[in-house]
Amino acid sequence: MTQTSLEGSFGCPADLDVPQNPSGFSRFGFGPELLKALEAIGYQEPSPIQSAAIPELMLGRDLVGQAQTGTGKTAAFALPMLAALDPDQRKPQVLVLAPTRELAMQVAEAFNSYAVHLDGVRTLAIYGGADFRDQIHHLRRGVQIVVGTPGRVMDHMRQGTLDLSALRALVLDEADEMLRMGFIDDVEWVLEQLPTQRQVVLFSATMPTEIRRISQKYLNSPAEITIRPKAADSGRIRQRYLTVNGPQKIAALERVLEAERSEATIIFARTKAITLTVAESLEQHGYDVAVLNGDVPQAQRERTIDRLRKGQVDVLVATDVAARGLDVERISLVINYDVPFDSEAYVHRIGRTGRAGRSGEAILFLTPRERRFLGGLERAVGRPIEPMEVPSNATINQNRLDRLRSRLTTAAGASSCQPEERALLSEMVQRVAQELDCSGEALALAALELVLAGKPLLLQGEESFAMPRQASMGERSSAARNTRGERPMQARALEADMERFRIELGWRDRIKPGNIVGAIANETGLAGKAIGRIQIFDTHSTVDLPQGMPPDVFEGLRQLRVLNKPLQISRLQG
Ligand code: AMP
């Protein structure tokens, strides 16, 4: 079965009394309460995983689903569980284990939103870091659905505060994540304690051997559903990478943030310490930034996510673990400031954007040494990740001008002042114009300068982020490496009797020395070994050729195309 994109339609008119048109969900045999709730949320048609999983789960079968966040898997298990629930039984009937508190909260919220018309149905999220007594209090009052992280669920079970004697179903959500985070023993322990008559559902984005083993051991002839990596979903996310040296990363990040017009951005860093350094540096440059890492207390994390959701903060710097499962529709840009640990982490990270049918952008920072990971990541997402340049001064400046202009247009179009304030301002403008005997335009300019608040309008700093990526043909010997075995980063001197040419194709066009040698040898008839050093830089390359090339041969070279792009060869002076 293949996955197509989820075209979630939100904001439908909510006639809570009678669903006007029977939705695609009515075929599952859900009661009117669930259908009303789905109609109000705006789910019209089931997603592929829902179409495949719901009928199986309604029959009470165990199920293994290979699907990622964003496919609608939460509703795929939550709806049939709710449909089978007995509201009069106050003991937990459904237990969902999730790897992180954020995911646990989201799943609990989803249950709540679907169960809004089911009287007496209660859901509780239990996770570490939150008040234990409070959770016990809620458990005692009676809940039918518990969504929790494995450790805290285990604690409650051991203490006898979570009674699973009436449990009908267990869901393992993002099982591979629980394995990655070292929870798998806890998960097995929980599985061992459950009543023998129960339904088990396991969802995982990937199926490592260990997860397969669990599913074989604890699930009973499960239905198996695979939603392939989300070609359509990840297709909504434009993925690019840029190559930048470690020390230049922060400057490159600031440029990317300025140049990309994003509603909200999440920046992934490898460690807690890096999240802080990045956030501090961005703050110094006037960004309103929030940090999400394992040191941030739970209450504050929830506040931060809420602020992000409401648009009170636009940039979040996070570690993988802290941001797992984060579902905020406003996030339109994901920056992989540090390369992810593996391709699964990459897929999870970029999945923070492109939510709910929106499109998104993902930018991956790679140091020259990390470029070797690119192929693996491209394979994981099933498509090429496009190269991009660190935004130039010109791009950034154009953006700044555009933004200022659009602010000015908006302000001129609709005043946000009270009429009496506006009258005072108008009087002030007239008085200053009279006093200084200057034009309205001169005053408007002065007002715009005030808006800039002393910050230069145009960026004029160093913008050279380019660097050679690969040693030349003439540098194949180990002598070309320095004492640390690294490739030299400086352009190399020209040998005698050779002339240097520039080609407008570089590392970012994926050009290799072999492509250049092949093309030139073909066109000029030069033997491969007569072609000298080739140096590949970010956006261009150089090639050294014997001096005295006849003009007609040079003209032929100028017409050449390599990798389907024009070579645009030119002589380098000096
Ligand atoms: P999930 O994969 O469960 O995290 O769901 C991803 C997003 O899709 C969530 O925002 C859901 O509310 C939304 N969603 C799930 N099922 C549907 C549906 N059938 N129609 C529209 N949106 C949906």
Side-chain angles (χ1 to χ4, degrees), residues 6-10 25 42-47 50 68-75 114 327 355-356:
L6 268 184
E7 295 293 332
S9 104
F10 296 89
F25 285 90
Y43 291 10
Q44 289 173 333
E45 285 303 319
S47 71
Q50 291 161 0
Q68 287 162 349
T69 313
T71 51
K73 67 181 164 60
T74 315
Y114 306 142
D327 187 4
R355 313 293 291 175

Side-chain angles (χ1 to χ4, degrees), residues 304-549:
T304 300
I305 296 171
D306 204 44
R307 286 174 62 216
L308 184 71
R309 200 165 270 140
K310 290 185 179 144
Q312 292 162 351
V313 60
D314 294 332
V315 181
L316 187 67
V317 191
T319 54
D320 288 81
V321 172
R324 210 158 283 288
L326 189 85
D327 187 4
V328 176
E329 284 177 26
R330 288 184 65 240
I331 297 176
S332 50
L333 172 63
V334 171
I335 299 181
N336 291 280
Y337 181 76
D338 289 320
V339 73
F341 288 107
D342 54 27
S343 50
E344 279 170 45
Y346 178 74
V347 171
H348 274 282
R349 283 179 177 189
I350 66 166
R352 297 313 105 214
T353 182
R355 313 293 291 175
R358 294 187 174 199
S359 59
E361 301 273 341
I363 297 176
L364 168 68
F365 281 34
L366 291 173
T367 63
R369 279 158 182 275
E370 289 164 347
R371 285 188 46 103
R372 63 183 193 277
F373 300 131
L374 189 62
L377 300 181
E378 288 181 325
R379 273 192 296 283
V381 290
R383 54 210 281 272
I385 302 175
E386 305 159 34
M388 72 177 273
E389 306 264 349
V390 176
S392 64
N393 288 352
T395 309
I396 289 174
N397 290 339
Q398 190 56 51
N399 252 324
R400 286 186 181 180
L401 285 169
D402 289 349
R403 265 200 302 270
L404 188 59
R405 191 189 145 144
S406 115
R407 283 176 67 191
L408 185 63
T409 315
T410 315
S415 166
S416 57
C417 281
Q418 298 294 328
E420 59 273 26
E421 291 175 339
R422 209 172 151 73
L424 283 172
L425 289 177
S426 163
E427 196 189 310
M428 187 191 297
V429 168
Q430 282 167 24
R431 189 177 307 156
V432 175
Q434 251 174 18
E435 281 167 11
L436 298 180
D437 191 20
C438 67
S439 67
E441 185 186 334
L443 268 187
L445 281 175
L448 277 178
E449 283 184 23
L450 272 181
V451 170
L452 294 177
K455 212 179 147 195
L457 173 61
L458 297 182
L459 185 66
Q460 270 152 355
E462 171 61 47
E463 59 176 345
S464 161
F465 286 82
M467 63 191 89
R469 298 282 172 244
Q470 194 156 327
S472 71
M473 302 258 300
E475 287 168 2
R476 272 170 297 189
S477 75
S478 58
R481 294 172 181 255
N482 65 21
T483 46
R484 280 159 54 210
E486 290 165 342
R487 307 265 190 187
M489 285 309 210
Q490 294 304 313
R492 308 236 123 206
L494 191 59
E495 283 167 28
D497 303 328
M498 298 294 271
E499 200 177 1
R500 185 157 291 173
F501 293 80
R502 179 182 162 111
I503 291 168
E504 299 307 324
L505 294 175
W507 187 256
R508 292 174 187 200
D509 305 289
R510 313 222 170 154
I511 196 161
K512 299 199 176 65
N515 305 124
I516 299 176
V517 175
I520 295 180
N522 260 340
E523 180 62 33
T524 59
L526 271 176
K529 60 176 187 274
I531 298 173
R533 176 172 286 141
I534 291 176
Q535 296 178 84
I536 300 198
F537 297 79
D538 254 357
T539 53
H540 74 281
S541 309
T542 61
V543 53
D544 298 350
L545 298 172
Q547 276 179 350
M549 185 185 312

Side-chain angles (χ1 to χ4, degrees), residues 162-322:
L162 177 59
D163 173 4
L164 295 182
S165 58
L167 196 85
R168 294 166 171 225
L170 171 79
V171 180
L172 304 176
D173 198 6
E174 299 200 355
D176 53 348
E177 273 311 307
M178 295 201 268
L179 172 71
R180 267 162 59 92
M181 294 171 70
F183 295 149
I184 218 64
D185 291 344
D186 299 355
V187 170
E188 266 198 275
W189 186 88
V190 173
L191 276 159
E192 303 278 359
Q193 318 302 312
L194 299 186
T196 39
Q197 283 297 319
R198 81 279 154 125
Q199 188 178 23
V200 183
V201 180
L202 183 152
F203 273 107
S204 199
T206 56
M207 282 292 161
T209 331
E210 191 60 6
I211 298 298
R212 286 203 182 283
R213 183 187 67 75
I214 299 257
S215 110
Q216 276 155 11
K217 184 163 172 197
Y218 296 97
L219 276 67
N220 182 14
S221 320
E224 292 196 18
I225 296 171
T226 302
I227 301 294
R228 287 219 196 92
K230 305 172 286 170
D233 270 357
S234 73
R236 285 203 307 255
I237 303 169
R238 176 163 164 233
Q239 298 170 56
R240 289 173 291 166
Y241 74 90
L242 56 79
T243 316
V244 65
N245 256 333
Q248 289 179 309
K249 272 167 90 169
I250 194 81
L253 175 67
E254 280 155 19
R255 281 173 176 264
V256 167
L257 283 177
E258 267 224 50
E260 297 290 319
R261 291 166 175 230
S262 144
E263 197 180 345
T265 302
I266 180 162
I267 301 167
F268 280 100
R270 192 172 297 146
T271 64
K272 294 180 217 170
I274 302 175
T275 56
L276 297 180
T277 323
V278 169
E280 269 166 28
S281 165
L282 293 179
E283 254 161 22
Q284 278 167 12
H285 286 83
Y287 286 94
D288 200 2
V289 189
V291 168
L292 210 60
N293 66 33
D295 287 344
V296 177
Q298 179 59 17
Q300 194 180 327
R301 286 152 74 109
E302 286 165 30
R303 269 203 307 277
T304 300
I305 296 171
D306 204 44
R307 286 174 62 216
L308 184 71
R309 200 165 270 140
K310 290 185 179 144
Q312 292 162 351
V313 60
D314 294 332
V315 181
L316 187 67
V317 191
T319 54
D320 288 81
V321 172

Side-chain angles (χ1 to χ4, degrees), residues 33-34 37-38 41 43 75 78-79 82 110-116 118:
E33 298 85 357
L34 275 184
L38 294 178
I41 306 170
Y43 291 10
L79 296 172
L82 285 168
F111 267 99
N112 275 328
S113 66
Y114 306 142
V116 65
L118 290 169

Side-chain angles (χ1 to χ4, degrees), residues 124-147:
L124 179 68
I126 56 176
Y127 39 78
D131 187 51
F132 219 96
R133 278 163 310 176
D134 200 40
Q135 295 175 353
I136 294 175
H137 170 73
H138 281 95
L139 286 168
R140 288 223 177 98
R141 275 183 53 207
V143 296
Q144 289 92 348
I145 301 143
V146 173
V147 188

